[in-house]
């Protein structure tokens, strides 16, 4: 849950930095200045240096840092085992958000889905191994959802 929350915060910070950088880039382009020379020096026909170019350079650097932090948290999320169903739900929420917003899905989301699946299987094994669980007549957990024959067979094979 903690990594998913940190990613959500980093994702919002990245979006904020991206918007700031885009606003400054638009301002530079509207003034007829190129955004290519972001080192604070006038380029092309601009002929002058104002506060926008250094602000743009700083915004671009902050955006790159925010993206790197968000990506590191996304990778950490795949490596961090969930300890609850809420943790798995948080992982899946991050996966859906990233998949919907990311056009460059090179390796993503396979490692993350695999991680969430491993978490589900581990938690199901732990629940099945719990000696304190109450059982009904046929061995299924009291209060569990109504399972069909196929799901019961899979659970029995897992035991």
């Amino acid at each position: 849950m903690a990594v998913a929350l940190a990613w959500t915060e980093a994702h919002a910070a990245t979006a904020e930095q991206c918007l700031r950088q885009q606003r400054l880039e638009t301002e530079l382009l509207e003034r007829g200045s190129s955004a290519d020379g972001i080192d604070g020096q006038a380029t092309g026909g601009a002929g002058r240096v104002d506060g926008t170019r250094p602000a743009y350079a700083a915004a671009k650097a902050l955006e790159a840092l925010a993206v790197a932090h968000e990506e590191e948290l996304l990778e950490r999320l795949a490596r961090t085992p969930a300890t609850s169903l809420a943790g798995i739900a948080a992982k899946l929420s991050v996966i859906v958000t990233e998949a919907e917003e990311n056009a460059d899905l090179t390796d993503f989301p396979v490692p993350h889905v695999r991680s969430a699946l491993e978490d589900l299987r581990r938690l199901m094994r732990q629940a099945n191994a719990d000696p304190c669980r109450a059982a009904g007549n046929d061995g299924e957990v009291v209060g569990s959802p109504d399972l069909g024959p196929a799901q019961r067979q899979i659970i029995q094979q897992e035991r």
Side-chain angles (χ1 to χ4, degrees):
M1 291 288 292
V3 177
L5 179 60
W7 179 87
T8 301
E9 292 169 355
H11 184 70
T14 299
E16 185 179 314
Q17 290 300 326
C18 180
L19 289 173
R20 182 170 180 250
Q21 177 270 329
Q22 288 174 348
R23 278 193 299 271
L24 290 166
E25 184 176 44
T26 300
E27 189 176 325
L28 284 174
L29 293 173
E30 285 174 351
R31 292 179 180 187
S33 179
S34 170
D36 294 333
I38 61 170
D39 60 358
Q41 301 299 315
T43 60
R48 63 181 155 70
V49 176
D50 63 13
T52 305
R53 187 169 303 288
Y56 173 77
K60 191 122 175 99
L62 287 173
E63 179 188 21
L65 286 173
V67 167
H69 180 63
E70 182 181 353
E71 288 174 355
E72 188 275 324
L73 287 169
L74 191 61
E75 290 172 14
R76 190 181 331 161
L77 185 72
R79 296 187 315 262
T80 304
T83 57
S84 66
L85 293 177
I88 295 170
K91 276 186 172 185
L92 292 172
S93 177
V94 168
I95 292 166
V96 168
T97 301
E98 183 67 12
E100 287 176 343
E101 296 179 8
N102 192 344
D104 180 26
L105 298 176
T106 53
D107 191 24
F108 182 84
V110 175
H112 300 79
V113 172
R114 186 176 293 123
S115 173
L117 263 170
E118 289 169 2
D119 292 337
L120 278 172
R121 288 180 180 136
R122 180 178 37 78
L123 291 173
M124 287 171 37
R125 281 191 304 272
Q126 288 173 356
N128 288 335
D130 184 1
C132 296
R133 69 185 179 104
N137 292 342
D138 60 357
E140 68 182 306
V141 177
V142 173
S144 67
D146 188 26
L147 301 175
Q151 288 90 355
R152 285 191 185 131
Q153 183 178 12
I154 290 170
I155 291 171
Q156 290 300 324
Q157 290 172 352
E158 288 287 326
R159 290 182 187 171

